[in-house]
Structures are given as structure tokens and as C-alpha cells.
């Protein structure tokens, strides 16, 4: 059974702080990993994708992948109230994406 | 970027009726589309993988006779919920893989189905 595990939260951070979201996965065959942001009642939107070990930065977001530890993380710098949402971690490759249950992030102004 | 259009965005139907949801890839060809269902405060659960020109592959526990999937062209997949019941009320989301973006997946906007 392929699984992606996330802490459901809620994770509360003050505005301007760094939010750190973590995810582990069970399928060593997974080649690509994604972080999606989902607002209540809306469809997920892609924030970051990462395929290689190490860090990938895009604006305020940094994704980190460690395939040896089967660990993926997302850092959000200078968190804003508009970042408050549920963040879904997903992994896959040639197979359909497997999603974690999501971490609810609350950025407090 | 890749765009996936999903319609309708919400639908209310009577118990026992059927509802069709459409998913279109607007600027790319999608040989594979995926259908997910999401209950409140839960994660996305894959229902089936839709392949153009062939039968869909359903996940364990998903009734293929109840959730009919048709992927007749490279840009259109449909999900029909047949004989809907209140327990089928959920948020249904389609996703398509744009092979121009390495393993990239784009989601439709979702359909909120309420069966009364």
C-alpha cells in the first residue's frame, strides 16, 4: 500500500514567520513529488514540484527532498494570512499521484 | 500553463437520478485523466484512471457500474454518477497529466455534488 503521511495540524504561525510542512512517503519507486495548496471548497493548486534530492526554491517557497529518508518538506518564508490553507503533499511517477491527508496551516496576523 | 476545465462546478440532484461531470484539457492532449473524490476534511481519494480509447481502471472499492467513465477523445473525459444517493454527495475533481511538464498534473476546478 503506497502511503503519504502528513501531520494534519493545524499548524499555526505568526505573520512573517517561516512555516515548515513535512511529509513522508512509503513508495521508494516514487520519482516526483508535489506540494498543492487547497483552500476550503476549492480544487488543489500546484505550489511546487521536486524530482531530485536537495532544495528547490521558488519565491517564498522552498521544497526539500531526501529520497534516502523518504522525506519531503515545504518551507514558506514570510508567511502571510493568505497562505492559510490546507497543504497536500503528493508523490508519484508513472502511476497516479498518491496524496497525503494534508496539513492545515493557519497564519495569524 | 496547462488548463483543465471541469463542469459543472456544482450540481444538486434527486436521489436515483444520474449526473454527468465533464473534464476537458484545454491546451494540451491528455491521454490519461484521473478522477478523485474528496469528502469534507478528508484528502483526495483516487477513484479511477481514465485512458483515452480504453476502459478506465478503477481503484479497489469503487463501483465501476455506478461511476461510469468515458474518455472518448484526447481532451475530454466524463464521469457519470448513476442512480445517485445521498452518500455519493462529495467533491469530485478531475486531473490530467500534461506530459510537456515532467509528470505534471493539473486539476480541474472540481464539482460539488449534492444528492437530496
Amino acid at each position: 500500500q503506497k502511503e503519504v503521511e502528513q501531520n494534519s495540524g493545524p499548524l499555526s504561525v505568526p505573520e512573517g514567520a517561516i512555516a515548515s510542512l513535512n511529509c513522508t512517503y512509503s513508495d521508494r519507486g516514487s520519482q516526483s513529488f508535489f506540494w498543492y495548496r487547497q483552500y476550503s471548497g476549492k480544487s488543489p493548486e500546484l505550489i511546487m514540484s521536486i524530482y531530485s534530492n536537495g532544495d528547490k526554491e521558488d519565491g517564498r517557497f522552498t521544497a526539500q527532498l531526501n529520497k534516502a529518508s523518504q522525506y519531503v518538506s515545504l518551507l514558506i518564508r514570510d508567511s502571510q494570512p493568505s497562505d492559510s490553507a490546507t497543504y497536500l503533499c503528493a508523490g508519484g511517477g508513472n502511476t497516479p499521484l498518491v496524496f497525503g491527508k494534508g496539513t492545515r496551516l493557519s497564519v495569524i496576523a | 500553463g496547462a488548463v483543465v476545465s471541469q463542469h459543472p462546478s456544482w450540481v444538486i440532484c434527486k436521489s436515483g437520478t444520474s449526473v454527468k461531470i465533464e473534464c476537458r484539457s484545454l491546451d494540451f492532449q491528455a491521454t490519461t485523466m484521473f478522477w478523485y473524490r474528496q469528502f469534507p476534511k478528508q484528502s483526495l481519494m483516487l477513484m479511477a484512471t481514465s485512458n483515452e480509447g480504453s476502459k478506465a481502471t478503477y481503484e479497489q472499492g469503487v463501483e465501476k457500474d455506478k461511476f461510469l467513465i468515458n474518455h472518448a477523445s484526447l481532451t475530454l473525459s466524463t464521469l457519470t454518477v448513476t442512480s445517485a444517493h445521498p452518500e455519493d454527495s462529495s467533491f469530485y475533481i478531475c486531473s490530467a497529466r500534461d506530459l510537456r511538464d515532467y509528470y505534471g498534473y493539473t486539476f480541474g476546478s472540481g464539482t460539488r455534488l449534492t444528492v437530496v
Side-chain angles (χ1 to χ4, degrees):
Chain A
Q1 183 84 4
K2 299 174 184 177
E3 293 183 339
V4 174
E5 300 285 344
Q6 290 181 261
N7 189 320
S8 62
L11 172 65
S12 295
V13 300
E15 183 177 359
I18 296 175
S20 177
L21 305 165
N22 305 310
C23 167
T24 59
Y25 60 95
S26 64
D27 180 18
R28 286 194 173 274
S30 295
Q31 301 165 25
S32 49
F33 301 89
F34 305 87
W35 282 99
Y36 288 86
R37 177 174 62 197
Q38 186 176 26
Y39 293 112
S40 180
K42 301 294 185 181
S43 186
E45 57 176 319
L46 182 66
I47 298 297
M48 292 282 288
S49 60
I50 187 166
Y51 315 117
S52 304
N53 277 328
D55 296 357
K56 179 182 178 182
E57 185 175 320
D58 184 0
R60 295 187 297 114
F61 301 96
T62 299
Q64 299 172 318
L65 173 60
N66 184 324
K67 291 187 178 181
S69 300
Q70 297 176 247
Y71 174 87
V72 190
S73 67
L74 178 70
L75 298 177
I76 306 175
R77 289 180 298 281
D78 189 24
S79 296
Q80 302 297 309
S82 58
D83 294 327
S84 297
T86 296
Y87 289 79
L88 302 171
C89 173
N94 287 322
T95 55
L97 286 182
V98 176
F99 284 85
K101 293 185 177 180
T103 298
R104 189 157 56 91
L105 172 67
S106 178
V107 180
I108 303 168
Chain B
V3 177
V4 173
S5 175
Q6 184 173 344
H7 293 281
S9 56
W10 61 271
V11 58
I12 301 173
C13 71
K14 291 184 177 180
S15 186
T17 62
S18 296
V19 173
K20 179 184 285 188
I21 302 170
E22 290 190 352
C23 181
R24 293 180 184 272
S25 56
L26 296 187
D27 55 352
F28 67 100
Q29 293 182 333
T31 55
T32 304
M33 290 188 178
F34 306 95
W35 288 95
Y36 292 87
R37 179 168 55 183
Q38 186 177 37
F39 292 106
K41 299 190 184 300
Q42 295 189 24
S43 189
L44 296 168
M45 296 302 297
L46 180 66
M47 298 177 67
T49 301
S50 169
N51 299 296
E52 187 267 337
S54 65
K55 292 182 178 180
T57 303
Y58 291 82
E59 295 299 301
Q60 189 174 6
V62 178
E63 300 174 58
K64 62 180 181 180
D65 294 330
K66 181 171 183 62
F67 299 99
L68 301 179
I69 291 173
N70 183 283
H71 194 158
S73 77
L74 287 171
T75 59
L76 174 64
S77 176
T78 61
L79 168 67
T80 301
V81 183
T82 63
S83 186
H85 288 94
E87 57 266 30
D88 298 323
S89 299
S90 187
F91 192 46
Y92 292 85
I93 312 172
C94 68
S95 175
R97 178 186 290 171
D98 182 1
L99 295 179
R100 298 171 301 175
D101 177 13
Y102 182 61
Y103 293 129
Y105 294 77
T106 301
F107 283 90
S109 56
T111 298
R112 175 74 59 191
L113 170 63
T114 302
V115 185
V116 297

